[in-house]
Amino acid sequence: EGMNISGHGAVGLITYMRTDSLRLSDDIVAEARAYIHERFGSEYLPEEPRQYKGKSSAQDAHEAIRPTNVSLTPEAVKNDLPADHWKLYKLIWDRFIACQMKPAVYDTVSVDIDAGGHLFRATGRTLKFAGFTALYEESADDVSEENKEASLPQLEEGQPLVQKGVTAEQKFTQPPPRYTEASLIHAMEELNIGRPSTYAPTISTILEREYVVKEGRALKATPLGEIVTDLMKDKFTDIIDVTFTARMEEKLDKIAEGRLEWRNVVGEFYKDFAKDLEQAEIELADVTLKAPDTVSDVVCELCGRNMIVKSGRFGKFLACPNYPECKNTKPLAQVTPGICPRCGGRILERKSKKGNKYYACENLKNCEFITWDKPLEELCPKCGKPLFRRYTREEKKIYCAFEGCGYEREYKPRGRAKLTESGVPELEDEQENAQ
């Protein structure tokens, strides 16, 4: 809809975002190729523009999601956009330019190391030509496990190596990883479930209804989600099938093309669905579905029973299971390793009404200690108390909050390799959410 950009006024920065088309106009591709030639050089530019073929089911009325103007680089608009808008725009802009660059070239390397009569072997790859990775690298969510390879430094035969340490690890077969939002959307794309316009509402719905919860970036099914899923699979086998949506989408496309009559399609679906619905209502007439309560280790001080986790308007809280005789409730908070620098009480992790994390003393009514800074397990080398970490644009430090100590040091987030324009790796700070 447009953002106010200095020197340009209100500008629509990207094309229509509810499309799964991969088509690009000749004009914008020419702009991208000119930019790549100027910034990276001719060695990064393919001889011919790169074209991408979309799926047969793709809605191709609009172009692919791309920047409307290549000259409006992320750096050029950074001061005019809120942080989240800028991150999204940078992702779209970088990926679009990268799609018109040459591929990266790697050498697959196997290294045998002779150390004290023992043979050690390392396999991986070394970068030969940066290609599009000089600008854009796929996130961990976009790269499958089988395609992940360790990066090795440049090594020469006979080069002496220094032992930095020996780590023994025992490996166990791991279960498949849980879906993240990104990998779930990728799976829906693979199975032709939904359209780009439905991916975000699908994920927000299962989160809002608490069918799943987030653990880090992973989506974990709740007891309620498992109960609902089992019920639907038992009573509506035709609908709870990964091919159902794809088949229906195909029929709807044929209706749009005039090859099927919509009344016949809807009638055919509803005839069987009505029977399943009627049968489910009969079988479930006397059944009450309820997810089991999660029992906490917090004891109600009024009646002595262990409190249970409930959900309310502002999220989860602790309630006495002896309701309505006992109406005691408490906010649900996670205990951190921290100690309150004012009264010595425990530091609890809490969430505001907007969902932002903050940390507060368990004796908040009397102590009033609240902070955005995260309590750490690490102890202060001067006074032995737990440290705090501050991570903002202005400050990145680890410090001791106890009066009279004064210990602090610079906080250096773990980095990841990023290629410069010349193809030389440099260290990039790991991005974290700063409150």
Side-chain angles (χ1 to χ4, degrees), residues 58-341:
Q59 295 175 332
D60 204 43
H62 301 271
E63 274 191 72
I65 306 170
R66 62 163 175 84
T68 56
N69 187 341
V70 170
S71 65
L72 291 176
T73 64
E75 292 73 23
V77 302
K78 187 169 186 177
N79 293 333
D80 297 311
L81 299 182
D84 286 345
H85 288 63
W86 181 79
K87 289 175 186 176
L88 180 58
Y89 179 70
K90 185 177 188 306
L91 175 66
I92 294 170
W93 192 95
D94 285 354
R95 188 167 176 124
F96 164 67
I97 297 296
C99 87
Q100 292 302 316
M101 298 173 70
K102 282 187 176 179
V105 179
Y106 294 89
D107 285 334
T108 301
V109 180
S110 179
V111 182
D112 288 344
I113 303 164
D114 181 21
H118 299 280
L119 179 67
F120 296 86
R121 174 166 292 165
T123 58
R125 61 183 187 176
T126 57
L127 183 66
K128 188 174 182 180
F129 174 66
F132 74 89
T133 63
L135 175 66
Y136 173 80
E137 288 191 79
E138 290 183 305
S139 71
D141 285 330
D142 295 327
V143 183
S144 60
E145 288 295 327
E146 58 268 24
N147 291 331
K148 289 181 182 178
E149 290 187 58
S151 294
L152 296 177
Q154 293 289 343
L155 297 169
E156 297 179 3
E157 188 173 352
Q159 175 182 343
L161 301 178
V162 178
Q163 176 190 311
K164 293 186 176 180
V166 177
T167 303
E169 290 186 18
Q170 187 175 6
K171 296 287 187 179
F172 296 95
T173 302
Q174 297 295 320
R178 295 189 186 278
Y179 282 118
T180 62
E181 290 188 21
S183 61
L184 181 57
I185 289 173
H186 184 70
M188 288 194 287
E189 286 180 318
E190 291 285 318
L191 297 167
N192 287 328
I193 296 174
R195 298 287 193 187
S197 59
T198 65
Y199 296 148
T202 298
I203 291 175
S204 63
T205 297
I206 61 177
L207 284 168
E208 287 169 6
R209 296 184 182 177
E210 296 188 349
Y211 296 155
V212 299
V213 292
K214 271 190 174 182
E215 288 189 351
R217 293 193 304 172
L219 299 173
K220 179 183 177 182
T222 63
L224 174 62
E226 291 175 352
I227 289 172
V228 171
T229 301
D230 291 342
L231 172 69
M232 296 294 287
K233 288 169 69 175
D234 180 43
K235 307 301 180 187
F236 302 96
T237 53
D238 292 340
I239 296 175
I240 306 304
D241 175 10
V242 292
T243 63
F244 168 77
T245 305
R247 294 198 309 266
M248 183 59 72
E249 290 276 7
E250 185 179 349
K251 291 178 181 178
L252 294 174
D253 287 339
K254 289 181 179 179
I255 292 172
E257 295 165 4
R259 294 158 57 191
L260 282 178
E261 169 61 38
W262 73 266
R263 291 178 179 82
N264 295 337
V265 173
V266 174
E268 180 184 340
F269 160 75
Y270 197 77
K271 180 174 63 176
D272 294 331
F273 177 68
K275 290 180 181 177
D276 292 341
L277 188 60
E278 184 178 352
Q279 185 63 32
E281 288 177 342
I282 295 171
E283 294 177 4
L284 297 173
D286 300 321
V287 177
T288 301
L289 294 176
K290 184 176 181 295
D293 292 322
T294 302
V295 181
S296 74
D297 56 359
V298 178
V299 177
C300 175
E301 62 270 21
L302 300 183
C303 67
R305 297 184 63 178
N306 282 53
M307 304 187 81
I308 58 176
V309 179
K310 292 284 189 179
S311 296
R313 289 177 56 200
F314 303 118
K316 294 184 177 180
F317 63 95
L318 293 175
C320 182
N322 203 24
Y323 182 87
E325 287 77 13
C326 180
K327 299 181 179 179
N328 189 21
T329 61
K330 290 184 177 182
L332 180 64
Q334 182 177 342
V335 179
T336 73
I339 297 175
C340 176

